[in-house]
Every structure is written in C-alpha cells, then in structure tokens.
Amino acid sequence: MQFEHREVEKASSDGRRGPAERMIKLPGDKKHEKRSKSAKEIALQISLDNVDKQIEALKNG
C-alpha cells in the first residue's frame, strides 16, 4: 500500500496574512506543533543546520 502526502498552502482571503499555520511533527519531537513554514522550508533549514555542524566539527577537528 502506497501513501501519498500532499501539502496545501492556504492563503487568507484579504491577502494580508501569511499562509495558515499547520500542525507539523519534526523528527525528535514528541508531539505536533503549529508552524507557519512549509515542510520543505523546515527540511531545508534542518539540512543547512546539519551542514553547519559538520563544518564546525571539521574546524575544531
């Protein structure tokens, strides 16, 4: 059985507010939390943080 995940961005009707908050559970979290960033943005930030940690580890070597 294959599962499909779709992320839907919701915009406000007046166009002033950003996208709606959604419940997202990150790896290592114990529960879902409201977040305004999309899952792709959060994944990119996590990967950039991991690269930064690797760079610091190589510097401190």
Side-chain angles (χ1 to χ4, degrees), residues 5-9 22 24-26 35-48:
H5 172 75
R6 292 185 185 188
E7 184 174 330
V8 178
E9 293 267 341
R22 59 191 69 73
I24 296 176
K25 182 176 179 256
L26 296 177
R35 301 184 189 273
S36 60
K37 291 184 178 180
S38 70
K40 288 181 182 180
E41 291 172 333
I42 293 171
L44 177 62
Q45 187 61 45
I46 290 172
S47 64
L48 290 174

Side-chain angles (χ1 to χ4, degrees), residues 45-57:
Q45 187 61 45
I46 290 172
S47 64
L48 290 174
D49 290 343
N50 288 338
V51 169
D52 288 341
K53 287 179 186 177
Q54 291 174 351
I55 291 171
E56 285 300 318

